[in-house]
Amino acid sequence: MSTNNTIAIIGASANRTKYGNKAVRAYQAQGYAVYPVNPGADEIEGLKAYASVGEIPGEVETASVYLPPHKTLTVLDDLKAKGVSTIFLNPGSEDETVVARADELGLNIVQACSIVSAGRSPGEFV
């Protein structure tokens, strides 16, 4: 991991049982600057929530997506425009169309659970 350690959680949730919330907490616990992205929330886990990745100030190194494929497809262009270097497509966020579009955009995608990649287990966060 880079020393930048910034991550946008796309589809972040205030519901602590959702993976979009567990990811926020996992990355906070690992010392990341975490930017929750959810247009329907003002704050998640004490952090300001953003309506879109484009509203996040400064650079964002990594994004972790917790959206269904049809919604994931709509944020790929924004992630490219923001210059996000690595994008985790968590289980359930991807399909063939999403992967094909990410490839077209030249995005570095990782199809894996980002919580596990952060060195944590989703089961730790209840």
Side-chain angles (χ1 to χ4, degrees):
M1 292 194 198
S2 152
T3 56
N4 190 4
N5 291 345
T6 55
I7 188 165
I9 308 296
I10 315 296
S13 175
N15 180 338
R16 291 173 67 88
T17 66
K18 301 273 190 179
Y19 284 95
N21 179 283
K22 292 178 182 196
V24 170
R25 290 185 282 147
Y27 279 93
Q28 280 181 308
Q30 295 300 96
Y32 278 68
V34 180
Y35 300 101
V37 178
N38 180 329
D42 293 327
E43 184 179 286
I44 295 173
E45 295 298 320
L47 301 171
K48 175 181 173 33
Y50 296 88
S52 71
V53 73
E55 292 182 10
I56 298 170
E59 294 180 13
V60 176
E61 175 189 30
T62 305
S64 182
V65 182
Y66 291 93
L67 299 172
H70 71 280
K71 289 188 178 180
T72 298
L73 200 55
T74 68
V75 301
L76 293 177
D77 287 311
D78 290 342
L79 293 169
K80 173 73 173 183
K82 187 68 175 171
V84 176
S85 61
T86 302
I87 300 163
F88 281 91
L89 297 178
N90 291 280
S93 67
E94 82 288 10
D95 65 11
E96 292 174 9
T97 307
V98 169
V99 172
R101 180 63 180 148
D103 285 344
E104 285 173 17
L105 292 170
L107 297 171
N108 177 29
I109 60 167
V110 178
Q111 295 182 66
C113 175
S114 67
I115 297 170
V116 172
S117 293
R120 304 304 288 252
S121 167
E124 290 179 55
F125 302 95
V126 290

